[in-house]
């Protein structure tokens, strides 16, 4: 469903992405790991259109999107979350979801008019489902800024899901979370992947190995290794470059 063809992204002399190729299949939870600065966030930004590639193509469901702006990609079904949470802090939880839900609607038709004024019971029901999904029912009228950190991350995820994506891009969705919050996130993401593809960027191998298949390891803007999480954990080249010589990856399974 997603094909990245020989993508490069340069910032001046920095080659953040360097002739990178990958393919994400329908319903996959595709894991991306790699050390800081290896180009993971840049990859997400190029897929969702925040950065245009220096070279190469982003192909989604057979369409070349490389030059398309972010809002058009969102309408085509590509949504994301950010490494640093970016909610609308002065809107309530409910309003954050409502804005997201309406961002993918055309506002030309009469029914959309009603949606925009919050009158559509369909939209209200969908938002209620999102609140339930993210376990934020009791927080619906709170300002996003007043939520605890883990709740903010869940709201960001729910907001991305509210745009009804077929491909969800998550940049470090478990960063800063407690162990139990991580477990909840893994459950949510497994549930989400039943009806869409997910790309998960993380530098935590344990989180990735419990969730993702396949996994790629990035180094200096390219794919160093692709395989199952078990294969990745055993690969000498990966262990050496990612964790340093002599390091061992802990196995949680
Ligand atoms: P990761 O997410 O794997 O930590 P990034 O994709 O954020 O890595 O960064 C890859 C490289 O690109 C780094 O060297 C970083 O400094 C550089 N880079 C990323 N974004 C920008 C930018 N907007 N301007 C200049 N350099 C950038
Ligand atoms: Mg990053």
């Amino acid at each position: 469903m997603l094909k990245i063809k020989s993508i490069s992204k340069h910032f001046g002399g920095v080659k953040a992405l360097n002739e990178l190729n990958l393919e994400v299949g329908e319903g996959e939870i595709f894991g991306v790991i790699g050390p800081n600065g290896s180009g993971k966030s840049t990859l997400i930004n190029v897929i969702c259109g925040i950065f245009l590639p220096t070279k190469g193509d982003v192909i989604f469901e057979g369409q070349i999107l490389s030059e398309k702006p972010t809002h058009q990609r969102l309408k085509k079904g590509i949504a994301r979350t950010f490494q640093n949470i970016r909610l609308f802090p002065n809107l309530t939880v409910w309003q954050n979801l409502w804005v997201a839900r309406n961002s993918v609607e055309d506002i030309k038709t009469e029914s959309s008019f009603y949606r925009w004024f919050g009158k559509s019971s369909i939209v209200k029901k969908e938002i209620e489902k999102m609140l339930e999904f993210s376990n934020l029912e009791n927080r619906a009228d709170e300002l996003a800024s007043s939520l605890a950190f883990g709740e903010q991350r869940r709201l960001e995820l729910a907001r991305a899901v509210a745009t009804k994506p077929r491909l969800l891009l998550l940049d470090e969705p478990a960063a800063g979370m407690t162990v139990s919050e991580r477990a909840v996130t893994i459950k949510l993401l497994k549930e989400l992947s039943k009806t869409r593809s997910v790309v998960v960027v993380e530098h935590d191998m344990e989180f990735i190995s419990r969730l993702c298949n396949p996994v790629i390891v990035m180094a200096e803007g390219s794919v160093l290794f692709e395989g199952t999480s078990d294969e990745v954990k055993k690969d000498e080249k990966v262990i050496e470059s990612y964790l340093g010589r002599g390091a061992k990856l802990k196995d949680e399974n």
Side-chain angles (χ1 to χ4, degrees):
M1 74 151 13
L2 175 74
K3 216 173 185 174
I4 299 296
K5 250 173 106 179
S6 202
I7 283 274
S8 294
K9 177 65 187 173
H10 300 169
F11 297 104
V14 178
K15 293 182 176 175
L17 296 176
N18 193 10
E19 306 267 332
L20 181 135
N21 292 289
L22 61 83
E23 233 173 280
V24 179
E26 203 80 45
E28 274 179 359
I29 312 186
F30 190 98
V32 180
I33 60 165
N36 265 338
S38 56
K40 305 181 299 296
S41 292
T42 305
L43 174 63
I44 297 280
N45 284 325
V46 164
I47 298 172
C48 76
I50 286 182
F51 296 153
L52 298 183
T54 308
K55 234 175 61 189
D57 277 317
V58 175
I59 301 166
F60 180 62
E61 296 185 330
Q63 280 183 295
I64 298 178
L65 298 185
S66 321
E67 304 292 325
K68 296 258 186 278
T70 307
H71 66 274
Q72 281 183 21
R73 297 188 201 201
L74 187 65
K75 282 193 176 167
K76 290 196 184 299
I78 302 178
R80 68 162 302 165
T81 62
F82 289 88
Q83 186 172 346
N84 305 309
I85 299 169
R86 294 193 202 174
L87 294 164
F88 304 116
N90 298 324
L91 297 185
T92 66
V93 168
W94 198 91
Q95 288 166 337
N96 266 273
L97 294 175
W98 182 77
V99 169
R101 172 61 184 77
N102 284 299
S103 68
V104 287
E105 290 293 336
D106 240 319
I107 53 167
K108 285 184 198 126
T109 61
E110 194 192 3
S111 64
S112 301
F113 174 83
Y114 283 108
R115 261 196 289 275
W116 266 101
F117 288 92
K119 288 177 181 163
S120 160
S121 59
I122 300 170
V123 169
K124 281 184 179 165
K125 278 213 180 89
E126 283 178 10
I127 292 177
E128 273 160 26
K129 236 172 84 186
M130 285 293 109
L131 288 169
E132 194 187 332
F133 156 80
S134 51
N135 199 13
L136 291 169
E137 300 110 308
N138 301 329
R139 311 290 267 150
D141 296 324
E142 307 278 333
L143 291 183
S145 58
S146 73
L147 298 184
F149 183 79
E151 292 175 326
Q152 291 198 9
R153 282 228 174 266
R154 286 209 303 279
L155 176 56
E156 213 195 16
L157 182 61
R159 188 180 62 172
V161 175
T163 67
K164 302 184 172 178
R166 289 194 301 288
L167 175 66
L168 193 52
L169 310 168
L170 308 175
D171 198 353
E172 303 203 14
M177 283 189 167
T178 62
V179 173
S180 63
E181 284 171 342
R182 270 166 194 252
V184 172
T185 304
I186 285 178
K187 239 170 88 184
L188 288 181
L189 296 183
K190 280 190 173 159
E191 188 60 36
L192 284 176
S193 71
K194 287 180 184 163
T195 44
R196 54 184 69 74
S197 305
V198 185
V199 174
V200 183
V201 163
E202 260 293 335
H203 56 90
D204 178 359
M205 183 62 201
E206 286 170 23
F207 183 84
I208 287 276
S209 72
R210 287 168 59 189
L211 190 64
C212 302
N213 192 21
V215 177
I216 62 165
V217 182
M218 284 183 66
E220 295 173 5
S222 306
V223 177
L224 177 75
F225 187 87
E226 173 164 2
T228 64
S229 55
D230 281 342
E231 287 165 351
V232 166
K233 283 196 275 189
K234 283 179 195 139
D235 188 77
E236 289 296 325
K237 207 168 51 176
V238 173
I239 295 171
E240 219 172 274
S241 79
Y242 186 41
L243 290 171
R245 202 176 281 275
K248 278 231 157 57
L249 290 160
K250 214 165 90 191
D251 195 342
E252 273 217 339
N253 296 325

